[in-house]
């Protein structure tokens, strides 16, 4: 899922309606306030800003964009949250599947076999499965790998 689509989902999702599915909100000025759904509290610290498209708790620091909030509240991955919100909005998109050619598969197999650091292996697989191939991601430089 590309950044343009993520931005569109975040902008088109009514953050007040989304947050209201999980808590009661009261309008205070241009924002809405409610008891945080992520922790117990007596004084509302959860703020929802329709102008900024944000839902955020000042106490526990959870929340964020509509996709981030939905991901956290439903305890699902960011991608699953984005997919579900896109479906709600009627946004359709093509899911890209990365298929490695023989050369790429050999490079990947060799790297995974020789790399001693499991974090780098996980980072590499994450980047490949996300469909990213070049640039700097998570501090890794892919410009040296010739796919």
């Amino acid at each position: 899922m590309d950044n343009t689509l993520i931005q569109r989902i975040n902008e088109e999702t009514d953050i007040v309606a989304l947050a209201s599915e999980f808590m009661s909100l009261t309008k205070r000025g241009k924002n809405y306030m409610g008891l945080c759904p992520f922790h117990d509290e007596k004084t509302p610290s959860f703020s929802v800003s329709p102008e900024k498209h944000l839902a955020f708790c000042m106490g526990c620091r959870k929340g964020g964009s509509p996709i981030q909030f939905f991901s956290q509240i439903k305890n699902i991955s960011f991608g699953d949250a984005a997919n579900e919100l896109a479906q709600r909005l009627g946004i359709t998109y093509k899911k890209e599947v990365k298929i490695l050619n023989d050369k790429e598969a050999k490079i990947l197999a060799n790297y995974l076999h020789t790399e001693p650091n499991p974090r780098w292996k996980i980072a590499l697989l994450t980047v490949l499965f996300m469909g990213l191939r070049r640039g700097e991601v998570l501090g890794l430089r892919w410009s040296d790998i010739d796919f």
Side-chain angles (χ1 to χ4, degrees):
M1 186 175 295
D2 69 359
N3 287 337
T4 305
L5 182 58
I6 290 170
Q7 183 178 355
R8 180 178 171 202
I9 294 166
N10 280 328
E11 288 175 357
E12 292 184 19
T13 298
D14 181 345
I15 190 68
V16 176
L18 182 65
S20 293
E21 293 177 23
F22 304 97
M23 71 192 84
S24 296
L25 295 172
T26 305
K27 187 161 176 59
R28 291 212 186 137
K30 58 183 178 179
N31 294 334
Y32 293 79
M33 296 294 293
L35 296 175
C36 179
F38 299 109
H39 71 275
D40 291 330
E41 62 182 4
K42 294 180 182 177
T43 305
S45 65
F46 198 86
S47 175
V48 179
S49 171
E51 184 179 300
K52 296 178 183 176
H53 302 284
L54 293 174
F56 187 74
C57 178
M58 305 301 180
C60 68
R61 317 297 286 171
K62 286 199 174 184
S65 71
I67 297 173
Q68 290 171 321
F69 169 74
F70 196 64
S71 169
Q72 292 170 3
I73 197 79
K74 298 278 279 186
N75 197 25
I76 58 177
S77 71
F78 184 88
D80 288 344
N83 287 333
E84 192 169 328
L85 291 177
Q87 286 178 350
R88 288 180 176 204
L89 294 168
I91 297 172
T92 57
Y93 61 94
K94 273 189 174 177
K95 293 182 182 179
E96 294 184 21
V97 177
K98 172 76 173 121
I99 299 174
L100 299 177
N101 62 35
D102 288 343
K103 183 178 178 182
E104 292 170 330
K106 286 177 186 175
I107 291 170
L108 176 60
N110 184 50
Y111 181 82
L112 292 175
H113 181 70
T114 59
E115 175 55 50
N117 187 337
R119 289 184 180 175
W120 281 77
K121 290 179 183 183
I122 292 168
L124 173 65
L125 291 171
T126 301
V127 168
L128 286 172
F129 286 123
M130 289 171 57
L132 305 174
R133 295 178 68 175
R134 295 207 180 267
E136 190 171 330
V137 180
L138 302 173
L140 304 174
R141 291 195 181 274
W142 299 104
S143 57
D144 297 332
I145 300 174
D146 183 22
F147 285 120

